[in-house]
């Protein structure tokens, strides 16, 4: 059974940093595509940082230069380092993974079959 367990959320002041983790069980993150998504209140869930099966990162414009996605294959864990946080970064954060992204769009939520639970990130001004 595939399990992705996200952790590391919390509250932080604007300008601060947080690192989210997504630990996989029953599933190897080696050679798969991975993503972090965010859902702000009243908005759709959006992919914000993706990692191809080759380890190539991609970011949505709003987080580019501030967030870093990475994976520790030895520990089977996906990370999202979030720096220079802004109030608009607040929301529920999810991790997801899949063996194949047919569209080539690593930030498209519908491409991913395996999902972790959401964790809350709140950035106060």
């Amino acid at each position: 059974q595939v399990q992705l367990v996200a952790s590391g959320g919390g509250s932080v002041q604007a300008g601060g940093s947080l690192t989210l983790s997504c630990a996989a069980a029953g599933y190897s993150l080696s050679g798969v595509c991975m993503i972090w998504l965010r859902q702000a209140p009243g908005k759709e869930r959006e992919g914000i940082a993706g990692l191809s099966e080759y380890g190539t990162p991609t970011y949505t414009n709003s987080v580019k230069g501030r967030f870093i996605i990475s994976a520790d294959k030895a520990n089977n864990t996906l990370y999202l380092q979030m720096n220079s946080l802004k109030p608009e970064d607040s929301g529920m954060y999810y991790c997801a993974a899949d063996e194949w992204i047919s569209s080539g769009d690593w930030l498209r939520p519908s491409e991913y079959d395996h999902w972790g639970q959401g964790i809350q990130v709140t950035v106060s001004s």
Side-chain angles (χ1 to χ4, degrees):
Q1 183 179 358
V2 176
Q3 276 193 314
L4 298 177
V5 180
S7 62
S11 297
V12 65
Q13 288 194 325
S17 298
L18 277 176
T19 298
L20 306 183
S21 300
C22 176
Y27 184 72
S28 173
L29 295 182
S30 180
V32 303
C33 305
M34 293 168 275
I35 189 175
W36 283 100
L37 308 100
R38 176 173 68 203
Q39 187 166 20
K43 295 189 177 181
E44 289 189 359
R45 196 175 301 180
E46 62 166 338
I48 59 171
L51 200 63
S52 77
E53 64 268 43
Y54 305 111
T56 303
T58 186
Y59 302 94
T60 194
N61 286 338
S62 64
V63 308
K64 200 173 293 183
R66 299 188 298 122
F67 291 10
I68 300 172
I69 186 172
S70 64
D72 183 341
K73 303 295 177 65
N75 289 317
N76 223 24
T77 302
L78 177 69
Y79 299 99
L80 183 68
Q81 181 181 336
M82 305 186 294
N83 303 313
S84 302
L85 283 161
K86 305 175 181 180
E88 52 264 42
D89 293 318
S90 297
M92 291 293 288
Y93 282 69
Y94 301 84
C95 58
D98 205 290
E99 296 81 9
W100 173 251
I101 303 300
S102 60
S103 68
D105 181 357
W106 288 286
L107 296 182
R108 183 175 295 180
S110 61
E111 290 278 8
Y112 293 84
D113 286 338
H114 308 296
W115 288 74
Q117 88 289 7
I119 54 174
Q120 181 68 40
V121 172
T122 302
V123 184
S124 57
S125 57

